[in-house]
């Protein structure tokens, strides 16, 4: 299992174990992490599973696809470090990943 820490806008941290092959949104929802809504169920259509990736993790999580970037253009609080957690698959390389969730999703 891969440990992932979600940090809420208020600083509350939730460290959970993610199953390889699941995405960060599924991992958060299955573990009761607040701040990850995922209204569309992970189909990259709503932007409610947004997370902010620290610069030192961006090369590991990879670049956003064109479709993901298009969805991020429509959400408030858009930030260059923003990603949709439904588009990031849990892999062993992500063990120890820390992401932040925006205030608007709490």
């Amino acid at each position: 299992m891969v440990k992932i820490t979600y940090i809420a806008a208020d600083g509350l941290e939730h460290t959970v174990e993610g199953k390889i092959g699941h995405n960060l949104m599924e991992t958060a929802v299955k573990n009761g992490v607040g701040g990850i809504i995922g209204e569309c169920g992970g189909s990259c259509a709503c932007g409610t599973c947004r997370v902010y990736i620290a610069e030192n993790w961006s090369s590991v999580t990879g670049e956003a696809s064109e479709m993901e970037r298009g969805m991020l253009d429509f959400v408030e609080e858009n930030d260059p470090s923003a990603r949709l957690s439904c588009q990031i698959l849990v892999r062993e390389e992500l063990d120890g990943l820390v992401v932040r969730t925006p205030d608007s999703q709490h």
Side-chain angles (χ1 to χ4, degrees), residues 7-96:
I7 302 176
D10 64 4
L12 184 62
E13 294 185 17
H14 297 277
T15 299
V16 300
E17 291 189 349
K19 186 174 180 182
I20 292 176
H22 288 197
N23 62 47
L24 296 184
M25 187 229 27
E26 291 173 300
T27 300
V29 170
K30 287 181 181 180
N31 287 284
V33 174
I36 302 290
I37 300 166
E39 289 177 351
C40 70
S43 61
C44 196
C46 70
T48 62
C49 67
R50 195 165 67 262
V51 294
Y52 300 118
I53 306 292
E55 188 175 329
N56 61 318
W57 281 101
S58 63
S59 64
V60 182
T61 58
E63 296 288 321
S65 68
E66 187 175 323
M67 182 170 75
E68 182 181 354
R69 283 192 307 271
M71 179 53 57
L72 286 166
D73 285 343
F74 291 103
V75 296
E76 57 188 74
E77 298 177 18
N78 195 359
D79 178 289
S81 67
R83 291 287 310 273
L84 297 180
S85 62
C86 67
Q87 299 299 299
I88 302 172
L89 292 180
V90 175
R91 304 181 324 274
E92 286 190 26
E93 297 84 6
L94 295 182
D95 191 36

